[in-house]
Amino acid sequence: MSRKRSFYNIYRKLMSAYGPQGWWPVSTVKMTAGDTLLLRDGYHPRNYTLPESDEQRFEICLGAILVQNTNWLNVPPALKALRQKGLFLPDKLAEAENQQIALAIKRCGYYNQKARYLKHIAKFFRLHPFSELEQEPLDEIRNKLLKIKGIGPETADCILLYAFKKCSFVIDAYTVRIFSHLGLIDSAVSYHELKGLIESELKPELEVYQEYHALLVCHGKLHYRRKPYGSGDQLLLP
DNA sequence: CGCCAGGGCCTCA
DNA sequence: TGAGGCCATGGC
């Protein structure tokens, strides 16, 4: 395999083209400018200390479910609606009526399914606090997450990478499209296989893992929509 | 308008 | 174990 097509090389090209993406977006980012405390929504470029609270970690988990096969723009309003209904704590969400949750998250689509999924994850975190889970090895957390209905490989890896800050590479549809279109992989590659291939090259650096996935989504949105692919490969090819 | 979105579960070969 | 159907609203 050409050295210039290594995953690191593509990462560098994406980063120089788009800059840091600041994933995962959380709704209340505290930033200090001099003496004043700024609260702003959304992204947090170059701030890799987040999440800083259990609520922010929980928010990332909820967002990871809500964004499944859905435009991210629908997620913050849904999270806000859940918050306004007082459902932003695992204890509350776990006991809420499905219909009440569904109403709050309606705009994200698949709302009946996702309402159930959110309750599952709420019950999980009620049982296993973050502070306990994060002590466990990555693979043990991952296996526990994968047992929850509604959490598949990608969602589990998003939660691991952005909520638990564990170096678990996230594979999504854009990742497969981009790397297969560039000739690095076969488009029929399995999730597990591609994840292993990428992780075997990348050193376990949190910022790289976090930004790489975000950059692939950024680039994918611009050039790798379902059909037909644009000419985004010109940016990445040697 | 029609296509698509930062998937995952279930079923059936 | 993999392909296919299903879930569903909102953005552009």
Side-chain angles (χ1 to χ4, degrees):
Chain A
M1 181 184 303
S2 163
R3 187 72 191 139
K4 298 205 167 185
R5 292 201 184 191
S6 72
F7 294 115
Y8 264 121
N9 187 269
I10 289 173
Y11 173 71
R12 280 191 287 271
K13 290 188 178 187
L14 288 169
M15 180 58 83
S16 62
Y18 301 113
Q21 302 297 298
W23 277 29
W24 189 279
V26 289
S27 58
T28 54
V29 183
K30 294 173 190 159
M31 307 178 79
T32 51
D35 294 335
T36 57
L37 181 67
L38 305 175
L39 289 179
R40 73 179 192 85
D41 290 341
Y43 299 80
H44 42 84
R46 298 188 188 285
N47 182 353
Y48 301 98
T49 64
L50 297 168
E52 297 172 324
S53 65
D54 279 356
E55 191 194 277
Q56 285 182 335
R57 283 182 268 273
F58 193 54
E59 177 183 332
I60 290 171
C61 297
L62 300 184
I65 295 287
L66 293 176
V67 76
Q68 288 173 357
N69 207 37
T70 302
N71 192 320
W72 171 261
L73 293 176
N74 294 313
V75 174
L79 290 172
K80 185 177 179 182
L82 286 173
R83 202 187 294 273
Q84 287 177 341
K85 288 171 177 279
L87 301 179
F88 223 76
L89 293 165
D91 290 329
K92 301 292 186 184
L93 189 57
E95 299 302 324
E97 295 291 335
N98 284 2
Q99 193 159 358
Q100 190 186 13
I101 303 171
L103 189 60
I105 65 172
K106 188 162 180 288
R107 60 183 299 117
C108 293
Y110 309 140
Y111 47 83
N112 289 316
Q113 275 193 9
K114 287 177 179 177
R116 281 184 270 117
Y117 294 169
L118 292 184
K119 282 180 75 168
H120 292 151
I121 199 170
K123 288 175 181 173
F124 175 77
F125 284 116
R126 184 173 59 173
L127 199 60
H128 308 284
F130 283 103
S131 56
E132 292 180 14
L133 278 170
E134 67 180 355
Q135 309 296 330
E136 300 183 15
L138 190 159
D139 285 331
E140 285 189 27
I141 307 174
R142 191 170 193 273
N143 287 334
K144 282 183 173 140
L145 291 173
L146 288 174
K147 288 177 186 166
I148 304 170
K149 276 197 200 313
I151 297 186
E154 183 184 341
T155 306
D157 288 327
C158 283
I159 291 172
L160 284 164
L161 181 58
Y162 296 105
F164 285 93
K165 299 181 182 177
K166 306 276 188 187
C167 280
S168 198
F169 202 90
V170 179
I171 308 294
D172 73 334
Y174 289 133
T175 310
V176 177
R177 281 181 213 166
I178 293 171
F179 289 148
S180 65
H181 192 232
L182 293 175
L184 283 156
I185 58 164
D186 189 290
S187 63
V189 66
S190 73
Y191 189 101
H192 182 72
E193 198 176 353
L194 179 52
K195 178 180 167 67
L197 188 62
I198 295 172
E199 290 184 350
S200 69
E201 180 183 330
L202 299 184
K203 287 177 287 186
E205 297 170 315
L206 186 69
E207 294 185 17
V208 173
Y209 275 58
Q210 291 190 337
E211 289 292 349
Y212 207 155
H213 172 59
L215 286 164
L216 285 168
V217 172
C218 172
H219 187 61
K221 279 178 175 172
L222 290 174
H223 300 288
Y224 286 84
R225 310 208 123 220
R226 249 196 238 285
K227 64 177 178 185
Y229 293 162
S231 53
D233 53 336
Q234 292 177 4
L235 173 69
L236 300 181
L237 288 170

